[in-house]
C-alpha cells in the first residue's frame, strides 16, 4: 500500500493561506515527503479512517483529484501570483526614522516640516500676491533684498542704460545739427568736438556722467541744447550713483553674515535644575567682538484647536527664558546655557517623557543684538524639533581656568550627557513634592499628639523618646521635656509642649 501523492505549487511559508486552514478543518493533513529535487508532496487521508489500514487508498487504480484538491491548488496559485505581483518594500533611510512593528515590517515615520531651518532661514514662501505694485513703492528695500546675482545685474544695467540713453541723445543732436556732415569742414563749429558717430557720442556720455573728462571731446558754446542736456545728465547721473552705490553698500554691510558666528546647540535638553524641570539649550559667539545688548527669546510653534472648534495652524506660544528676572538679557562673552523653567505657565507643564515622544511641535529660538563693529542690529535664529529635545540630559562643561585667562573648548559645545531625571511631568513632580511636604507636616503633628498622650501626671515622659522632641525643637523652636524625672522647672516646659502640640493639631485640622 502506498499513499497517493498530490503535487501542489510551492508557496512561501510566511504567507498565510485561508484555504489551507479550511482544508485542515475539513480533515486533511499535509505532510512533506523527502526529496530535494521533487516538488512538495502532500498526502491526504480522512481523519475518521486514519487507523484503519484497510481503508487506505491503493495505487493500483489512480484516483482523480477531487474538487477540493483542485480548488486548493487554484487558491495556492492565485495566492502565489498575488505575492509575486506585490511590489517589494523599499528600505527607509536612517534620516526618515524607521519604527519596527512586532511582525518585523518597517514603518516609516513622517518627518515634520520645519518652520525655521537650523541655519535660521524661515521656510515660508508667499504665493498669489496680487498687489505686486507694493514692492515698487519701496524700491530701495526691494533692491537690497534681491539676491546678489540680481543685484549685480540691476547695478550694471542701471549704468549701461543711462549711458546708452544719453549717448543716443548726443548723437541725435549732432545728426540734427548737421555736425556729421561737416566733419572735414574746419570752419564749422559742432555741438561737441570730435563726435563723428554713435560710438564717439556714447564715449562722450560716459565721460560726462562719470566726470572723467579726457579733454578730447568737449562741448562748445554754440550749442544751447547741448548745455541743457549736459546739466540734465550730470544731475541724473549723480542720482543714479547715489542710489546704486547706497544699495550696494547696505547690501554689503548687512549683518546677516554676522549671524553665522552665533551658534546654537544641535539639541535641547530637559533635566532638573534646583529641583525643577527645565528645558535648556546653549548659545555661543565665535568672534572676539561682542554682541551689544544681546537678548534671547523662544517661541513654541504648534498647531492647536480651540474650544469652539477653530483650528489654528502653527500657533505661536511664548516661552519664558527669564524676561521677568532679566535673565533674557545676555552678556555673551562665553557660551551660555539658556534655561526655560517648566512651571504652571509653561506649555510643557503637563508633558512627561512619554508624551514628549508622541508630541509634534517646534521650538524657535531668536538671539538679537547690536554688532559692536558696525552698530547694526543682528538676529540669529534656530529651531528644535521633538526628536532634537533630549529628556534626562545635561550639557557638558566647556570652560576651564588656564594660566591668566579662561579657556573655552568649543569641541564640547554640542555634547550632552545623561543624568538622573524623573520621567513624569512637571505638574506631577510638583504634586509629589507637595504631598511629601504635607506628609512631613502631619508626621510632626501626630508625634506631638503621641508625646502628649505618653506624659505622666507629673509631666514625665513615659516613653523617653528624645528624637521627637529634637525634631520639634528644630521645627518650632520650643523646648519639651526629655525622658527621665522632670523637676518643677521642667513642668511648664512640658506644658508648653502640650500647647504647641495642640496648636499644630488645630492648624492641621483647619
Amino acid at each position: 500500500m502506498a499513499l497517493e501523492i498530490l503535487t501542489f505549487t510551492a508557496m512561501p511559508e510566511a504567507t498565510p493561506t485561508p484555504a489551507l486552514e479550511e482544508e485542515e478543518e475539513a480533515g486533511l493533513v499535509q505532510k512533506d515527503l523527502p526529496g530535494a529535487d521533487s516538488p512538495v508532496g502532500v498526502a491526504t487521508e480522512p481523519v475518521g479512517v486514519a487507523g484503519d489500514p484497510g481503508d487506505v487508498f491503493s495505487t493500483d487504480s489512480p484516483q482523480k483529484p477531487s474538487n477540493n484538491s483542485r480548488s486548493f491548488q487554484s487558491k495556492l496559485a492565485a495566492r502565489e501570483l498575488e505575492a509575486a505581483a506585490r511590489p517589494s518594500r523599499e528600505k527607509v533611510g536612517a534620516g526618515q526614522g524607521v519604527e519596527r512593528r512586532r511582525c518585523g515590517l518597517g514603518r516609516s515615520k513622517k518627518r515634520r516640516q520645519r518652520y525655521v531651518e537650523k541655519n535660521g532661514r524661515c521656510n515660508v514662501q508667499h504665493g498669489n500676491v496680487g498687489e505686486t505694485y507694493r514692492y515698487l513703492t519701496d524700491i530701495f528695500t526691494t533692491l537690497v533684498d534681491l539676491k546678489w546675482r540680481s543685484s549685480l545685474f540691476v547695478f550694471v544695467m542701471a549704468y549701461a542704460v543711462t549711458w546708452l540713453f544719453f549717448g543716443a541723445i548726443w548723437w541725435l543732436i549732432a545728426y540734427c545739427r548737421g555736425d556729421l556732415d561737416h566733419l572735414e569742414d574746419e570752419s564749422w563749429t559742432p555741438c561737441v568736438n570730435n563726435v563723428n558717430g554713435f560710438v564717439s557720442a556714447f564715449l562722450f556720455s560716459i565721460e560726462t556722467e562719470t566726470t572723467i573728462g579726457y579733454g578730447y571731446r568737449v562741448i562748445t558754446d554754440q550749442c544751447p541744447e547741448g548745455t541743457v542736456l549736459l546739466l540734465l545728465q550730470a544731475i541724473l547721473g549723480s542720482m543714479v550713483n547715489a542710489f546704486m552705490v547706497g544699495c550696494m553698500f547696505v547690501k554689503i554691510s548687512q549683518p546677516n553674515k554676522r549671524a553665522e558666528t552665533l551658534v546654537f546647540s544641535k539639541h535641547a535638553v530637559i533635566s532638573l535644575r534646583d529641583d525643577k524641570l527645565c528645558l535648556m539649550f546653549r548659545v555661543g559667539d565665535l568672534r572676539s567682538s561682542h554682541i551689544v545688548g544681546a537678548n534671547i527669546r523662544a517661541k513654541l510653534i504648534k498647531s492647536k484647536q480651540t474650544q469652539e472648534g477653530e483650528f489654528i495652524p502653527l500657533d505661536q506660544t511664548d516661552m519664558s527664558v527669564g524676561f521677568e528676572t532679566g535673565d533674557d538679557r545676555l552678556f555673551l562673552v562665553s557660551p551660555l546655557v539658556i534655561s526655560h523653567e517648566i512651571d504652571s505657565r509653561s506649555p510643557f507643564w503637563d508633558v512627561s517623557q512619554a508624551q514628549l515622544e508622541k508630541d509634534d511641535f517646534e521650538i524657535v529660538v531668536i538671539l538679537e543684538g547690536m554688532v559692536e563693529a558696525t552698530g547694526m542690529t543682528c538676529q540669529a535664529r534656530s529651531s528644535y524639533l521633538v526628536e532634537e529635545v533630549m529628556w534626562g540630559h545635561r550639557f557638558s562643561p566647556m570652560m576651564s581656568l588656564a594660566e591668566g585667562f579662561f579657556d573655552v573648548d568649543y569641541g564640547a559645545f554640542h555634547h550632552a550627557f545623561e543624568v538622573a531625571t524623573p520621567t513624569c511631568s512637571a505638574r506631577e513632580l510638583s504634586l509629589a513634592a507637595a504631598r511629601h511636604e504635607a506628609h512631613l507636616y502631619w508626621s510632626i503633628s501626630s508625634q506631638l499628639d503621641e508625646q502628649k498622650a505618653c506624659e505622666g501626671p507629673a509631666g514625665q515622659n513615659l516613653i523617653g523618646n528624645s528624637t521627637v522632641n529634637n525634631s520639634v525643637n528644630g521645627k518650632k523652636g520650643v523646648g519639651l521635656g526629655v525622658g527621665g524625672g522632670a523637676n518643677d522647672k521642667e513642668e511648664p516646659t512640658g506644658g508648653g509642649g502640650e500647647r504647641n502640640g495642640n496648636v499644630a493639631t488645630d492648624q492641621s485640622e483647619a
Side-chain angles (χ1 to χ4, degrees):
M1 288 276 178
L3 298 179
E4 181 181 3
I5 301 176
L6 300 178
T7 59
F8 303 101
T9 307
M11 182 178 181
E13 299 179 356
T15 307
T17 309
L20 183 60
E21 298 177 358
E22 295 177 359
E23 294 293 338
E24 292 177 356
E25 293 178 358
L28 298 178
V29 181
Q30 300 181 2
K31 297 181 181 179
D32 296 339
L33 296 180
D37 299 331
S38 62
V40 178
V42 179
T44 59
E45 56 182 6
V47 177
V49 294
D52 190 1
D55 295 335
V56 180
F57 295 105
S58 174
T59 57
D60 297 338
S61 60
Q63 299 290 335
K64 294 182 179 181
S66 61
N67 293 333
N68 294 335
S69 308
R70 293 175 182 176
S71 177
F72 183 55
Q73 293 180 11
S74 61
K75 289 181 180 180
L76 285 177
R79 176 68 68 177
E80 183 181 7
L81 292 177
E82 182 181 356
R86 186 180 305 167
S88 60
R89 296 179 177 271
E90 298 181 355
K91 295 184 179 180
V92 182
Q96 300 292 335
V98 178
E99 296 180 358
R100 305 297 298 177
R101 293 180 182 267
R102 292 184 179 180
C103 61
L105 298 178
R107 180 173 63 89
S108 62
K109 184 178 180 181
K110 185 178 179 180
R111 184 178 180 182
R112 188 185 189 278
Q113 182 65 47
R114 286 186 178 271
Y115 188 65
V116 177
E117 299 290 342
K118 296 294 286 185
N119 58 0
R121 185 180 64 87
C122 296
N123 197 12
V124 178
Q125 295 183 0
H126 302 280
N128 297 327
V129 181
E131 300 177 351
T132 55
Y133 68 91
R134 295 182 180 272
Y135 293 101
L136 299 178
T137 57
D138 189 11
I139 186 64
F140 186 82
T141 306
T142 302
L143 293 177
V144 171
D145 291 340
L146 290 177
K147 296 182 179 180
W148 268 107
R149 55 178 178 268
S150 301
S151 298
L152 292 176
F153 177 77
V154 172
F155 183 84
V156 172
M157 291 302 297
Y159 285 102
V161 168
T162 53
W163 294 339
L164 288 173
F165 175 73
F166 284 102
I169 296 178
W170 286 114
W171 176 84
L172 184 62
I173 292 175
Y175 177 79
C176 294
R177 292 183 76 255
D179 296 342
L180 301 179
D181 298 333
H182 301 82
L183 297 177
E184 303 297 336
D185 189 359
E186 296 180 356
S187 61
W188 181 264
T189 304
C191 182
V192 180
N193 292 328
N194 300 317
V195 172
N196 52 10
F198 179 78
V199 176
S200 58
F202 175 71
L203 294 176
F204 178 74
S205 174
I206 296 177
E207 296 176 13
T208 302
E209 188 168 339
T210 58
T211 66
I212 295 176
Y214 290 110
Y216 183 70
R217 299 177 183 90
V218 293
I219 190 172
T220 62
D221 56 356
Q222 302 297 326
C223 185
E225 61 273 18
T227 305
V228 174
L229 182 61
L230 179 64
L231 295 176
L232 182 62
Q233 185 176 4
I235 296 173
L236 186 60
S238 300
M239 295 175 61
V240 172
N241 288 333
F243 189 82
M244 298 309 301
V245 172
C247 288
M248 297 302 295
F249 175 77
V250 172
K251 191 171 183 64
I252 292 173
S253 61
Q254 274 185 329
N256 296 337
K257 296 303 179 181
R258 180 64 177 89
E260 298 293 335
T261 55
L262 298 175
V263 292
F264 297 86
S265 58
K266 295 181 180 178
H267 298 85
V269 299
I270 295 179
S271 61
L272 289 176
R273 262 195 176 186
D274 297 330
D275 295 335
K276 294 180 181 179
L277 282 177
C278 296
L279 186 144
M280 294 169 285
F281 57 93
R282 180 180 275 170
V283 297
D285 188 4
L286 301 180
R287 288 188 179 273
S288 57
S289 59
H290 309 311
I291 296 293
V292 180
N295 61 86
I296 190 75
R297 293 183 292 136
K299 293 284 186 179
L300 176 67
I301 309 298
K302 181 180 180 181
S303 302
K304 74 171 185 178
Q305 189 172 6
T306 62
Q307 297 179 358
E308 293 78 15
E310 179 187 3
F311 179 75
I312 304 178
L314 302 178
D315 181 62
Q316 299 183 11
T317 304
D318 188 67
M319 296 174 55
S320 177
V321 288
F323 177 76
E324 297 82 2
T325 60
D327 293 338
D328 61 330
R329 295 186 290 271
L330 310 178
F331 182 52
L332 198 58
V333 178
S334 61
L336 300 176
V337 176
I338 310 301
S339 175
H340 163 68
E341 181 179 337
I342 304 178
D343 52 9
S344 58
R345 297 173 297 176
S346 172
F348 300 102
W349 176 242
D350 295 317
V351 178
S352 62
Q353 182 179 6
Q355 295 173 348
L356 181 68
E357 297 174 355
K358 302 177 183 178
D359 209 343
D360 187 14
F361 60 84
E362 181 177 355
I363 300 174
V364 178
V365 292
I366 305 169
L367 176 63
E368 294 178 335
M370 186 173 62
V371 181
E372 186 180 28
T374 61
M376 304 183 69
T377 303
C378 173
Q379 185 182 89
R381 298 178 294 267
S382 186
S383 66
Y384 301 98
L385 297 179
V386 178
E387 55 267 20
E388 296 173 347
V389 178
M390 300 188 300
W391 189 288
H393 286 73
R394 184 183 300 163
F395 286 110
S396 301
M398 53 183 302
M399 181 178 291
S400 60
L401 179 61
E403 185 177 356
F405 60 92
F406 292 94
D407 184 24
V408 179
D409 181 16
Y410 275 94
F413 184 83
H414 302 285
H415 184 265
F417 60 95
E418 190 173 359
V419 293
T421 305
T423 59
C424 62
S425 63
R427 177 190 290 272
E428 296 173 351
L429 186 63
S430 178
L431 292 177
R435 285 194 297 267
H436 181 68
E437 293 178 359
H439 175 72
L440 292 178
Y441 180 79
W442 282 95
S443 299
I444 295 174
S445 301
S446 60
Q447 290 175 2
L448 289 173
D449 294 339
E450 183 180 359
Q451 176 69 18
K452 175 183 176 182
C454 294
E455 287 182 355
Q460 295 180 354
N461 193 330
L462 301 179
I463 297 179
N465 187 0
S466 61
T467 306
V468 177
N469 298 322
N470 293 334
S471 63
V472 175
N473 290 334
K475 285 286 183 181
K476 302 294 183 179
V478 181
L480 298 179
V482 188
N487 51 19
D488 296 338
K489 296 181 180 179
E490 293 176 350
E491 289 182 2
T493 308
E498 295 175 5
R499 289 192 297 271
N500 290 333
N502 294 331
V503 171
T505 306
D506 295 338
Q507 292 177 353
S508 61
E509 292 175 358

